[in-house]
């Protein structure tokens, strides 16, 4: 189904896993293989150009290839057959050297790695845009005070900038992991039938090195036909970035609830409406992100399960990756793109954030009063006293400040001015700004190091 692609997979990553790109990656491998084997003297130099010239998707009958794959067990076998026939039409001698020394899995896996290289480059750019957008919003809202919430209840004051900084902090770590991961996963697959390159005899290693060089991929110490940890690592990276952004979307949607109304999604014609209720402004971006992040753990479970592969070439586990990893990556790309659009265009109601701090009549600041009294009464006694006054404030619908000022034991230690100061949310932000500034500084440093 493609109907949901604009909703769930609208990112540059999706095109990289189109049918056309998948087949072209395999054909790029075949063209590079011809060049590498010729460089090493395994096939005639005269065969290279006729083979490379036919390594274009528009030369293939894609529908016939797909039908033949059902009987062959993979796409590579009918692809090589069609490619050979195309080359034979132009150069019968060159056709003898198509796919020389390789096996089907070499074609499919290396073609996939070429797609992964493109997708990691695109993801790096998308992640960089996300980080930049977050930095801009953090700087804008570093001092926008709001309720911090634990167990879905008011806890202590924080700033919206700090909430966004938590997401930025995680994305910076994902950016580091991507930088570290790329050399490990962008690796050639080339082992021949059983991972020994036996058909190339003593030329096997030289051809492998030349092929890696032509494709600009790293060389594996051994073929990895049934060792799939590299693909698992790639999948885990995309799943991890998506769940970080899923947490952001979940929080954002909760802050969008009518009774909270602290943020809103970007405003656009027809966005977030209802088929029956004209007043609705639904968190549609958050819904798209959470839809994808609900599915991604199941896809990761499949990748984990497919690690259990038999002997030198797998039955079932390898094949299970073919749709699973692209699906996971394209869903993750949709998450990243949707989150970027949301962060760039989000509406923030700082006044409502501040107003929501007061809906409990000062109770959110009770801890600061407790700590001030603890120096005289002791922690437990102070906690018990302030807790009782908090219960009264709720039961009698009175401001906590008034009850504190009227209580003789409190009044003997704290003046009204001191109480008002203790109940001011701006005075209870602790290391809020330090944490924000630390992450912003690390973002700036990381940008200099990784660019």
């Amino acid at each position: 189904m493609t109907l949901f692609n604009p909703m769930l997979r609208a990112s540059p990553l999706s095109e990289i896993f189109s049918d056309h790109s998948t087949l072209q990656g395999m054909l790029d491998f075949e063209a590079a293989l011809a060049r590498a084997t010729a460089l090493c003297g395994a096939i005639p130099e005269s065969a290279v150009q006729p083979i490379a010239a036919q390594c274009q998707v528009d030369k293939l009958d894609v529908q016939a290839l797909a039908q033949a794959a059902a009987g062959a067990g993979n796409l590579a076998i009918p692809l090589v057959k069609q490619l050979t026939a195309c080359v034979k039409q132009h150069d019968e001698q060159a056709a003898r050297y198509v796919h020389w020394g390789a096996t089907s899995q070499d074609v499919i896996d290396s073609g996939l790695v070429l797609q992964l290289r493109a997708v990691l480059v695109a993801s790096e750019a998308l992640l960089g845009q996300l980080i930049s957008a977050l930095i801009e919003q953090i700087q804008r809202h570093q001092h926008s005070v709001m309720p911090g919430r634990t167990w879905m209840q008011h806890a202590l004051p924080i700033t919206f900038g700090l909430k966004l900084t938590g997401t930025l902090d995680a994305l910076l770590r994902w950016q580091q992991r991507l930088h570290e991961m790329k050399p490990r996963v962008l690796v050639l697959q080339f082992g021949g039938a059983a991972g020994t390159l036996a058909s190339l005899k003593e030329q096997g290693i030289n051809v492998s090195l030349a092929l890696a060089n032509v494709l600009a991929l790293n060389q594996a110490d051994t073929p990895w036909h049934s060792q799939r940890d590299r693909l698992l690592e790639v999948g885990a990276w995309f799943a991890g970035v998506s769940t970080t952004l899923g947490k952001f979307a979940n929080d954002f949607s909760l802050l969008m609830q009518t009774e909270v109304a602290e943020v809103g999604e970007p405003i656009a014609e027809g966005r977030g409406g209802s088929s029956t209720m004209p007043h609705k402004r639904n968190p549609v971006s958050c819904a798209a992100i959470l839809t994808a992040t609900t599915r991604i753990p199941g896809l990761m479970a499949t990748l984990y399960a497919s690690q259990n592969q038999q002997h030198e070439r797998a039955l079932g586990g390898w094949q299970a990756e073919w749709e699973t990893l692209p699906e996971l990556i394209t869903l993750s790309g949709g998450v990243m793109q949707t989150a970027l659009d949301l962060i760039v265009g989000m509406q923030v109601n700082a006044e409502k954030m501040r107003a929501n701090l007061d809906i409990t009549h000062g109770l959110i600041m009770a801890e600061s009063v407790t700590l001030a009294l603890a120096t005289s009464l002791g922690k437990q006694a102070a906690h018990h006293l302030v807790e009782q006054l908090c219960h009264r404030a709720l039961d009698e619908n009175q401001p906590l400040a008034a009850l504190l000022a009227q209580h003789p034991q409190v009044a003997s230690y704290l003046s009204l001015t001191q109480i008002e100061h203790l109940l001011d949310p701006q005075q209870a932000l602790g290391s809020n700004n330090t944490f924000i500034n630390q992450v912003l500084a690390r973002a700036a440093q990381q940008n200099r190091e990784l660019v």
Side-chain angles (χ1 to χ4, degrees), residues 76 102 179 182 276 336 377 439:
H179 181 71
K182 285 166 68 177
T276 59
M336 295 171 74
L377 301 178
V439 176

Side-chain angles (χ1 to χ4, degrees), residues 202-285:
E202 70 281 354
Q203 296 172 314
I205 296 300
N206 290 335
V207 171
S208 182
L209 290 168
L211 181 55
N213 185 58
V214 171
L215 291 172
L217 294 175
N218 292 325
Q219 176 79 359
D221 289 332
T222 64
W224 44 280
H225 290 141
S226 56
Q227 299 292 344
R228 314 301 284 179
D229 58 288
R230 291 179 177 91
L231 302 188
L232 185 65
E233 184 175 8
V234 171
W237 187 87
F238 281 101
V241 171
S242 296
T243 51
T244 291
L245 295 172
K247 183 264 191 293
F248 166 80
N250 198 26
D251 284 354
F252 198 95
S253 64
L254 292 172
L255 296 179
M256 266 190 76
Q257 290 182 107
T258 304
E259 298 83 355
V260 181
E262 293 178 359
V263 298
E265 290 196 356
I267 299 172
E269 181 67 28
R271 181 186 180 91
S274 164
S275 61
T276 59
M277 296 173 283
H279 68 280
K280 291 298 293 293
R281 186 179 168 195
N282 293 320
V284 293
S285 292

Side-chain angles (χ1 to χ4, degrees), residues 145-148 154-158 354 356-358 360-373 386 390 400-401 404 414 418-430:
V145 67
M146 67 181 295
H154 279 203
L156 293 173
I158 62 169
R354 179 61 184 84
N356 282 344
L357 285 166
D358 297 327
T360 57
H361 304 298
L363 296 191
I364 195 170
M365 297 303 302
E367 185 190 50
S368 63
V369 178
T370 299
L371 294 175
L373 290 172
V386 174
C390 286
L400 180 60
L404 287 167
L414 300 174
Q418 289 175 309
I419 291 171
E420 290 175 345
H421 180 81
L422 290 168
L423 294 179
D424 181 0
Q426 292 283 2
Q427 306 304 317
L429 292 174

